[in-house]
Amino acid sequence: MTGASQNFYARFAEVARRRGAADCWIEPDGRALSWTEVDAAVAAHAAALRAIGVQPGDRVLVQVEKSVASLALYLGCLRAGAVFVPLNTAYTESELRYFIADAGPRLVVCDPLRARAVRGMAGADVTVRTLDRSGSGDWMEGVSALAVDAGHVQPIEPRAGGDLAAIVYTSGTTGRSKGAMVSHANLAANAAALIAAWQLRDDDVLLHALPTYHVHGLFVSLHSTLLAGGAVLLLPKFDVDAVLAQLPRATVFMGVPTYYTRLLADARFTREQAGSVRLFICGSAPLLPATFARFEQRTGQRILERYGMSEAGIITSNPLHGERLPGSVGYPLQGFELRIVDDQGRACAPDAPGMLEIRGPSVLGGYWRRPELQSTEFRDGWFVTGDLATRTAEGRVAIVGRARDLVISGGFNVYPREIELEIDALSGVGESAVIGVPHPDFGEAVVAVIVRHRGVALDEAGVLQALGQRLARFKLPKRVLFVDELPRNAMAKVQKAVLRETYAGLFRDG
């Protein structure tokens, strides 16, 4: 293959030529952009990137709300050979400062309300542009000026398969996020595997309610649907009323467990309302067996649960045709090899829990500016997922725990250590432990357990108010509890398992 053909966007361009006037992106009001129109819009965004000096390999850091324009910007980055760096819109200015310093972007595109602060932290050599939820802002002024000038349309930038397409920041156990380096070949391999596994077609319509700063919404949903030639019905965000209104127009729906619990809580979500959808997919967090059962009872369909991560895309999936079991994430996708090993790296027997390690064409090559992690995150060429799993003799996988205390709340990864660092820095805090406990809506809820200094009048409201200035909302504890001391083992290590057991029923009654 030539360098140009290995640019991941070249695959979209091929589909655009084939699909032409067919709908590609559909908005809730019925307006639609054809494949030809989307391809032209992407070319304009790529030309705008070049016009302000973005070169192949330069990072483009984007923290904006989901819109047609923001998606065209993403694809424009691919086309131009730039490296797309999506950021959660909930990140605070303090968190954003770290990402800008670490990624070293050539361009930052942000919400207009943050532009002044971003310019102050980005430095003189970084260009800052704005883009709001409606698709307006000074970034779009530049795009519009170029969109009518065919002379600015340049060929798709040649890229090798191993060249970076994106850097996706994932929470780190040390309290600092690390950037997973995702290549053009990584994206292409995972998209092809998903299309094959889920038999996605050009007559499919995906109802897209996921955020696009998240791998689930940006890579998994969009890539698989579009490269199959299907259409994407774009919702700005998940909203039960909007989803119920648009569901009859869709054939595929992808969501996190919270989406399904909220749909099931609404009496309007009936078998008839869900009847046009041939495939409901769930991921980003474990789906409770009770939710699985209620969904089947209500709709007559079984949710297809899959397992993935920022560092590898989707790794396993329950079968499209075959038994979808609650508590199982199915079988490895094409191209993936899995092994489950003990602490010494020895293979575990069938059904015995151990560390899940993987290798395959969509596994990342490493972490941005963190070469030291090659020795800790990889073992003999296998990527260490950090997840504990079991595998049956026939190959079906179940995720049974997380070795690093990761909390997945509402589909978002939250590492306790990052929150503990912020809590421990508060006046009056002696020490803290952050855990995840079962929650009927979010799957897991973040709970902080704090030991106060003697005589200090520190309360839950005060802690949450202080953390709200430092952490994204999805990381904030749902409860802050105070104890005289934290449970410890003989080595003085905090026993988080004891805390999780103690507070397992905290949200049981809602």
Side-chain angles (χ1 to χ4, degrees), residues 138-161:
D138 58 13
W139 168 252
M140 291 304 296
E141 292 171 11
V143 172
S144 298
L146 293 169
V148 297
D149 186 351
H152 281 90
V153 177
Q154 296 175 316
I156 297 171
E157 182 66 29
R159 292 279 87 186

Side-chain angles (χ1 to χ4, degrees), residues 445-482:
V446 178
V447 173
V449 185
I450 296 176
V451 177
R452 288 175 287 210
H453 288 308
R454 191 181 302 276
V456 173
L458 188 66
D459 60 15
E460 182 173 34
V463 171
L464 291 175
Q465 181 179 16
L467 294 180
Q469 306 299 316
R470 304 290 298 171
L471 295 170
R473 187 174 180 83
F474 69 87
K475 299 178 185 178
L476 293 178
K478 295 290 186 292
R479 287 297 312 274
V480 176
L481 309 174
F482 296 91

Side-chain angles (χ1 to χ4, degrees), residues 92 115 154 167 195 207 224 235 286 308 318 381 387 404 507:
T92 64
Q154 296 175 316
I167 296 174
I195 291 170
L207 181 55
S224 59
L235 294 180
N318 271 275
D387 289 316
R404 297 171 181 171
F507 300 96

Side-chain angles (χ1 to χ4, degrees), residues 335-349:
F336 267 107
E337 295 179 81
L338 275 64
R339 70 179 188 182
I340 297 174
V341 299
D342 62 18
D343 292 342
Q344 304 303 313
R346 298 170 300 200
C348 293

Side-chain angles (χ1 to χ4, degrees), residues 115-171:
R116 182 176 181 181
V118 170
R119 289 190 174 100
M121 66 179 73
D125 58 339
V126 179
T127 301
V128 177
R129 294 287 185 267
T130 63
L131 179 63
D132 65 20
R133 186 189 296 273
S134 68
S136 301
D138 58 13
W139 168 252
M140 291 304 296
E141 292 171 11
V143 172
S144 298
L146 293 169
V148 297
D149 186 351
H152 281 90
V153 177
Q154 296 175 316
I156 297 171
E157 182 66 29
R159 292 279 87 186
D163 286 338
L164 279 188
I167 296 174
V168 180
Y169 278 95
T170 179
S171 296

Side-chain angles (χ1 to χ4, degrees), residues 59-64 70 74 77 83-89 91 96 99 103 109 165-170 179-180 182 211-215 218-219 310:
R59 276 76 62 206
V60 177
L61 190 148
V62 178
Q63 189 192 37
V64 299
S70 70
Y74 162 57
C77 284
V83 179
F84 191 76
V85 186
L87 290 184
N88 192 320
T89 53
Y91 282 137
L96 184 57
F99 293 119
V109 183
I167 296 174
V168 180
Y169 278 95
T170 179
V182 182
T212 50
Y213 49 72
H214 194 284
V215 165
L218 187 63
F219 296 163
S310 300

Side-chain angles (χ1 to χ4, degrees), residues 4 6-7 12 22 26 40 42 75 106 138 156 161 167 174 184 197 203 215-216 270 284 331 341 352 375 446 450 478:
Q6 293 185 64
N7 183 319
F12 290 95
I26 307 169
V42 171
L75 295 176
R106 175 66 182 82
D138 58 13
I156 297 171
I167 296 174
T174 59
H184 286 263
D203 62 345
V215 165
H216 192 172
T270 63
S284 296
Y331 303 91
V341 299
S375 61
V446 178
I450 296 176
K478 295 290 186 292

